[in-house]
Amino acid sequence: MNRTIKKIAILSAVFVAATAAYFIWNENTTERKDAMVYTSMDESSLPVVYTDIYGKKMNLLHGYNQDMKQTVSREALTLLPADRSLGIQISDYSGGIKGISYEVRSLDMQRLVERTTVDKWNQEDNGVLASLPIQNLLSKDKEYLLVLSLDTSNNGTLQYYTRIMWTDNSNAKDMIDFAVDFTTKTFNYDQAKDLTTYLESNNTEDNSSLNHVSIRSSFSQLTWGGLSVTPVGEIQATLKDLNGVMCSVQLKYMVSRGEGDSKEFYEVEDNFTMKWDSKRIYLMDFNRDTSQVFSGQRDLFSGKRILLGIVDPDEVRTAKSPSGNILAYVVNRDLWTYDQKGEHGVKVFSFRSKESDYLRSGYNQHDIKVLSISDNGDVNFLVYGYMNRGIHEGSMGIAMYQYSSQNNAIEERFFTPVTLSFDMLKEDMEQLAHIGSNGMLYLMADRSVYGIDLNSNEYMVLADSLMEGGYAVSGTERHLAWQEGSDIYGAGVIHLMNLDTGIKREIAGGQKDRYRPLGFVGDDFIYGIAEDGDKWIQNGRIIDAPMHRIEIVDQSGKILKEYEQENIYISDVSVDDSRIHLTQVAKSGEQSYVPSKRDTIVCNQEITKADMEGIGSVASQDRKKVYFIQLGKEAESKDVRITVPKKVAYETTEVVELKGNQKTQENRYYAYSGGHLIGSRRDFTDALELAYDRMGVVTDQNQEILWNRVNRPPIRNMKDPMKNGATFVRNLEDFNGERTVREGVLMIDARGSSLNQVLYFVGRGCPVAAYTGQGGYLLISGYDQYNVTLYNPTTGDSQKMGINDASSFFAERGNDFVCGLFRE
């Protein structure tokens, strides 16, 4: 009897051990086979729309369920055929279309040109085909806004946005073909040899990484450095701009490498800026950006590294829990966490999908920002931009989520819609989005700062109508300073707020003192003090209000450093880590100053760059430079577990409508290049500098091009500049520097731009005023390859001057230009 019991016990133990071993083996094997992991979320359901340009399916448009006005119109430019009947294709749609309509407006939205309902469309195997019979109400070669509306049975009414142009310019077809052919040839080493004539390879260009390739890169870089990659799916072509002889085209596609479970996928974007000439197409600029999709395969977790591969290190963000054990990292728009002790990785959030194709779930107009991470693995984070999937699909906005490690689930806390383009929203969100220890979330959107109570989702407007130079955010985002009022040269009061505690202080002084926020060194605040009335005015326009004193205070208000020198004023301040660089001037008259020495204040505070903390790189034999997350503990690939949240919960979410109290709208200039917003600036010259080296354009807030690096005729001369520029000259006398339209001419202060840069406006038919002294100016009325023509409005005389001599002449006088553009 005892022997039988023993046998049963032994067999039972063997069975239990075998069963356990099987499940462990099965779990490990299953995880090895999973090349990708996905978040549980409703799949994409909105249709996408293509427009027909020269018989090509182009300009992939995504639908919005909110009125975006013209803010997203720069995503695509659609050229109309000769009869203006625009063909569209509606693809990837899982529901019935009940109606199609569209409207055409001026870019500033002030004029409705047409509103039409489409009566007929065809259902084909590849989607719905329709034609928009745009009326003969458009001016040739002028851009308009087209808003396409689809009335659907499952998703309500959706809007799609594109700029349109009716033009006889057929050169764009050749340039679009050129771009597609160029990209296609880069995958074949022999065919790519035809492209060498377009490269401007430079030894100073960084050829160490395949993440970024430019027109200055080596031929090896252009042909993927010998890396064997294969295109996946179709190339998505988008026409970004056609402005005279300049054409900008963006191509998006996927490539893969390897086979089976180890297959790697890469997102690629090629941007071309081209110039048309009757003899050939000139490639003015080319940029290719490649980012590896982090798969989460266990062999990427090895040693003290999480290997990310070919990525842009500036787009990788990391965060650590207080103990340092839990890491959070955002790579290629996906949020991951990793528990170093438990060797457990979680793909917390991603819009990527295994059910639908890349067209919708892979749309890249969003990003993720980690707000906090705790030692138990909980993460608070924001997803901002276009929502590819889920209950907010088709909305542009900001969503806050909380991931619970214990429940392995994501809960949405709130969603707030915005009507900004993703690039503009990103510019704000990268400046400020911070959770304080007081339970408040502070974030910036559309130049307003909001405080949202995370317990009640109630919000307050902390500051609005913020102007460039009128506020500052610390590098840690824990502190904010802003001045009252709309005078960019200072205010009577500066508000300084600790966003962790919610404590706010005021910096103020005498009635004649004007305070200006200048920045932070760590958590210490820098501000300048000027005397009311100390304005630097030249040629009728304010250059600056020089400050006579700089002070640095800590968060308790204690002054740590004072800087003041007799008869010396500070006109500009820049902060570089722990160094404060001062540009100084001396007073030469009641409202005039002359340059003085530069100086530097060195602070003791140690500055750390948290965004790049824990990110390293190593040279790979086949992929060149690859990046990794540095771990503090060894990881064994075979022991690493990869999971995803089991659900995304919306039960407690609220839609929070953030409404500021905008009193003034700052005139801003927007610099674009390679299909993207590079940055926005208050001063035209600053925006121009951003766009110049990248062959870009500068626009106003309505997306109308004000300046174009490429589209300038080689020769332009005005026979009668006073007649050509009569309205421009008439408005010079009382022009105060603020961008304004007067008598049909847009007046632009271009002080600080170079002569070569402002010749664009001469090429557009308006002379440029070049000041030579206090109140005196010459009109630049023409140019060719070697000379500029200068007209003296006082004497009526014209003279030619060599371009180099003229550049030096005006540079010595401060490059003080005022430019104009004629408007209809």
Side-chain angles (χ1 to χ4, degrees), residues 528-543:
I529 307 174
E531 188 171 321
D532 192 19
D534 271 353
K535 296 288 176 68
W536 183 359
I537 299 177
Q538 183 174 306
N539 299 320
R541 289 162 290 143
I542 299 175
I543 293 180

Side-chain angles (χ1 to χ4, degrees), residues 456-734:
S456 64
N457 282 346
E458 295 179 344
Y459 75 92
M460 64 178 180
V461 181
L462 194 64
D464 60 6
S465 302
L466 294 176
M467 304 183 73
E468 184 178 329
Y471 68 96
V473 183
S474 67
T476 60
E477 301 183 32
R478 293 199 297 259
H479 305 282
L480 169 70
W482 72 98
Q483 67 182 45
E484 285 189 353
S486 58
D487 185 353
I488 63 169
Y489 300 111
V493 176
I494 288 180
H495 302 283
L496 177 62
M497 188 166 182
N498 183 320
L499 301 182
D500 273 338
T501 64
I503 297 175
K504 185 169 71 171
R505 303 178 184 277
E506 291 185 352
I507 297 172
Q511 291 183 346
K512 291 186 177 181
D513 288 337
R514 307 292 290 175
Y515 294 84
R516 191 190 305 185
L518 300 174
F520 287 85
V521 174
D523 292 327
D524 296 333
F525 176 53
I526 313 161
Y527 61 92
I529 307 174
E531 188 171 321
D532 192 19
D534 271 353
K535 296 288 176 68
W536 183 359
I537 299 177
Q538 183 174 306
N539 299 320
R541 289 162 290 143
I542 299 175
I543 293 180
D544 202 351
M547 300 162 283
H548 61 81
R549 183 181 178 88
I550 298 290
E551 293 184 353
I552 305 174
V553 298
D554 62 17
Q555 289 306 303
S556 68
K558 178 184 177 182
I559 296 178
L560 304 175
K561 176 76 175 179
E562 299 171 307
Y563 182 94
E564 185 173 12
Q565 296 190 14
E566 188 175 359
N567 298 324
I568 295 295
Y569 295 79
I570 299 104
S571 63
D572 189 37
V573 174
S574 62
V575 181
D576 178 19
D577 293 337
S578 60
R579 294 176 178 268
I580 306 169
H581 304 287
L582 310 177
T583 300
Q584 301 186 118
V585 295
K587 209 165 192 177
S588 60
E590 185 177 347
Q591 292 184 321
S592 60
Y593 297 78
V594 293
S596 182
K597 63 179 181 178
R598 296 177 64 88
D599 204 352
T600 299
I601 301 174
V602 180
C603 301
N604 296 325
Q605 191 164 147
E606 183 179 351
I607 308 299
T608 59
K609 295 187 177 181
D611 282 351
M612 287 295 291
E613 186 179 357
I615 301 174
S617 66
V618 64
S620 166
Q621 185 175 358
D622 53 357
R623 289 183 293 170
K624 295 199 171 185
K625 185 183 288 186
V626 293
Y627 289 87
F628 59 83
I629 302 291
Q630 184 70 56
L631 299 177
K633 182 180 181 297
E634 293 276 348
E636 291 287 344
S637 297
K638 62 182 179 62
D639 297 329
V640 173
R641 293 183 300 118
I642 301 297
T643 60
V644 297
K646 61 184 179 182
K647 69 174 183 176
V648 181
Y650 300 98
E651 287 83 355
T652 60
T653 189
E654 290 184 36
V655 175
V656 179
E657 296 273 359
L658 298 179
K659 296 180 181 179
N661 304 311
Q662 293 280 353
K663 304 177 187 69
T664 59
Q665 188 66 40
E666 183 182 23
N667 274 336
R668 298 189 69 78
Y669 297 92
Y670 299 85
Y672 290 90
S673 175
H676 295 283
L677 176 70
I678 312 172
S680 64
R681 297 291 186 270
R682 184 183 185 278
D683 290 330
F684 170 77
T685 297
D686 292 340
L688 189 155
E689 283 300 314
L690 289 176
Y692 187 76
D693 287 337
R694 298 178 63 175
M695 297 292 171
V697 300
V698 177
T699 78
D700 62 12
Q701 69 275 11
N702 299 322
Q703 310 303 317
E704 292 202 48
I705 293 177
L706 305 181
W707 182 88
N708 186 334
R709 170 74 190 272
V710 176
N711 185 34
R712 193 185 87 188
I715 300 173
R716 183 64 189 258
N717 281 291
M718 302 173 197
K719 291 182 179 180
D720 190 346
M722 291 302 288
K723 181 179 179 180
N724 284 74
T727 53
F728 170 72
V729 173
R730 201 158 47 238
N731 286 288
L732 271 177
E733 187 174 344
D734 59 348

Side-chain angles (χ1 to χ4, degrees), residues 50 53 56-60 176 180 234-239 249-252:
Y50 293 92
I53 304 179
K56 296 179 181 292
K57 189 175 74 170
M58 291 184 58
N59 290 3
L60 176 64
I176 293 168
V180 175
E234 296 180 351
I235 294 176
Q236 300 173 21
T238 300
L239 178 63
V249 175
Q250 182 181 88
L251 305 181
K252 290 183 179 180

Side-chain angles (χ1 to χ4, degrees), residues 239-510:
L239 178 63
K240 288 291 186 176
D241 274 307
L242 179 65
N243 187 242
V245 296
M246 185 276 284
C247 181
S248 176
V249 175
Q250 182 181 88
L251 305 181
K252 290 183 179 180
Y253 52 98
M254 297 279 289
V255 299
S256 65
R257 171 178 178 264
E259 299 291 339
D261 295 343
S262 61
K263 198 171 192 177
E264 300 166 352
F265 291 90
Y266 299 81
E267 294 178 338
V268 191
E269 181 179 293
D270 292 357
N271 285 286
F272 298 81
T273 301
M274 295 158 284
K275 181 177 181 178
W276 171 262
D277 185 87
S278 58
K279 297 179 181 179
R280 58 171 289 187
I281 294 172
Y282 289 91
L283 182 60
M284 305 302 293
D285 198 25
F286 166 74
N287 289 279
R288 182 175 74 206
D289 294 293
T290 303
S291 292
Q292 187 168 348
V293 177
F294 182 70
S295 65
Q297 290 175 300
R298 293 189 304 176
D299 58 2
L300 300 177
F301 300 77
S302 179
K304 288 191 174 183
R305 295 174 179 174
I306 304 174
L307 187 62
L308 305 179
I310 300 173
V311 295
D312 180 355
D314 293 334
E315 291 297 319
V316 178
R317 272 90 61 193
T318 64
K320 290 182 180 180
S321 66
S323 69
N325 177 55
I326 309 293
L327 302 178
Y329 53 101
V330 178
V331 54
N332 212 3
R333 309 183 310 280
D334 296 340
L335 171 61
W336 291 77
T337 62
Y338 181 67
D339 179 344
Q340 298 185 78
K341 292 180 180 178
E343 296 189 290
H344 179 202
V346 181
K347 188 175 187 178
V348 176
F349 190 94
S350 175
F351 277 140
R352 301 182 199 280
S353 169
K354 61 182 177 181
E355 300 295 336
S356 64
D357 60 28
Y358 175 74
L359 295 181
R360 292 169 298 179
S361 65
Y363 189 41
N364 64 357
Q365 296 297 288
H366 67 274
D367 210 340
I368 298 173
K369 187 164 186 174
V370 176
L371 298 171
S372 65
I373 179 170
S374 59
D375 284 329
N376 64 1
D378 291 352
V379 187
N380 288 303
F381 61 98
L382 298 177
V383 179
Y384 62 92
Y386 183 86
M387 301 294 150
N388 294 358
R389 297 170 58 189
I391 65 171
H392 305 297
E393 183 187 1
S395 294
M396 182 72 74
I398 306 165
M400 180 181 173
Y401 295 97
Q402 183 176 59
Y403 169 68
S404 168
S405 177
Q406 180 179 357
N407 299 326
N408 190 30
I410 296 174
E411 178 185 3
E412 184 177 280
R413 302 293 301 275
F414 70 83
F415 175 78
T416 180
V418 299
T419 54
L420 298 170
S421 72
F422 167 64
D423 287 332
M424 294 176 185
L425 179 59
K426 186 178 178 70
E427 196 175 42
D428 284 342
M429 296 296 292
E430 287 184 339
Q431 292 188 74
L432 179 61
H434 178 78
I435 289 184
S437 55
N438 57 353
M440 296 286 290
L441 168 66
Y442 299 96
L443 56 85
M444 181 181 290
D446 200 16
R447 296 295 166 142
S448 293
V449 176
Y450 302 91
I452 303 173
D453 188 331
L454 296 181
N455 294 315
S456 64
N457 282 346
E458 295 179 344
Y459 75 92
M460 64 178 180
V461 181
L462 194 64
D464 60 6
S465 302
L466 294 176
M467 304 183 73
E468 184 178 329
Y471 68 96
V473 183
S474 67
T476 60
E477 301 183 32
R478 293 199 297 259
H479 305 282
L480 169 70
W482 72 98
Q483 67 182 45
E484 285 189 353
S486 58
D487 185 353
I488 63 169
Y489 300 111
V493 176
I494 288 180
H495 302 283
L496 177 62
M497 188 166 182
N498 183 320
L499 301 182
D500 273 338
T501 64
I503 297 175
K504 185 169 71 171
R505 303 178 184 277
E506 291 185 352
I507 297 172

